[in-house]
Amino acid sequence: TAPAEAITQNMTAVLVDGVEHQYRLTVPAADAGVALPIIIAFHGGGGAEEDFQQQTEFDQLGEQEKFIMAYAIAEDGRTAEEGEWFLNTAATSKEDNDFTEAIVDELTKAYCIDQSRLYGIGYSLGSMYTYEIACQLNHRFAAVASFAGTMPVAPETCDLSGSMAVMHIHGKLDYIIDY
């Protein structure tokens, strides 16, 4: 019921199964009762503290269009085979799904959130993780956007209970992750 005060790039922590996970939070100024959408951004595989490249632009757009940006930060020390974000190729794949849902749950406690407008966006390895959201969290999320990544998820593992919009952008000149 209180108005949302503007926050920019505030390091925030959330407990998931007793483990502290971090994300950067940007919230627009908004009147009381204004339901804000959430976009959670997942960085590439360059390191757990890697910035999402377009943070400044997303923050500015979030203030203008009135949506919350959460920049999830992957755990340090994950396996070289899997990378910073767990995909459904690993037995541990659900850990990042729990982290993603915990971000939404915590923000819902603190702000007026439009539950029908939850989105994920990812770059490179983070874009691959957005397909986990599309397959496993489609009951909560409305859409995902994948930039410079592939769909590593085996479609038969998807638990589709709702509709899911996907925007996939990937160029043929990407020499790290083939088109």
Side-chain angles (χ1 to χ4, degrees):
T1 59
E5 294 184 28
I7 298 172
T8 303
Q9 294 293 317
N10 184 43
M11 196 61 102
T12 306
V14 62
L15 280 177
V16 181
D17 298 325
V19 177
E20 185 176 278
H21 293 266
Q22 294 189 332
Y23 62 98
R24 290 182 190 90
L25 178 64
T26 297
V27 178
D31 293 333
V34 172
L36 300 170
I38 299 172
I39 299 176
I40 303 177
F42 301 91
H43 60 73
E49 295 276 343
E50 179 180 315
D51 286 338
F52 197 81
Q53 292 179 349
Q54 297 82 9
Q55 283 179 197
T56 302
E57 291 86 353
F58 274 116
D59 289 349
Q60 292 169 352
L61 188 61
E63 181 60 44
Q64 178 184 332
E65 299 295 326
K66 303 302 180 201
F67 61 82
I68 293 173
M69 281 300 305
Y71 303 94
I73 300 171
E75 274 186 72
D76 280 325
R78 291 201 167 160
T79 66
E81 298 82 28
E82 190 66 30
E84 283 82 14
W85 298 110
F86 285 143
L87 307 176
N88 77 358
T89 55
T92 53
S93 67
K94 303 299 184 233
E95 288 181 24
D96 289 331
N97 292 352
D98 293 344
F99 175 33
T100 300
E101 287 197 287
I103 291 172
V104 173
D105 293 343
E106 287 300 309
L107 292 175
T108 299
K109 291 176 190 174
Y111 300 98
C112 182
I113 300 299
D114 184 344
Q115 297 294 327
S116 69
R117 295 174 66 199
L118 305 177
Y119 308 102
I121 183 171
Y123 173 73
S124 191
L125 182 62
S127 79
M128 294 171 159
Y129 174 69
T130 63
Y131 281 101
E132 287 293 325
I133 294 171
C135 280
Q136 307 303 328
L137 301 179
N138 58 75
H139 62 283
R140 289 192 81 176
F141 281 74
V144 296
S146 171
F147 294 96
T150 60
M151 181 179 172
V153 176
E156 63 272 10
T157 67
C158 290
D159 183 18
L160 296 175
S161 61
S163 61
M164 173 59 63
V166 175
M167 178 172 64
H168 185 97
I169 299 173
H170 195 172
K172 290 182 178 180
L173 296 178
D174 186 336
Y175 298 110
I176 297 172
I177 300 172
D178 291 333
Y179 176 75

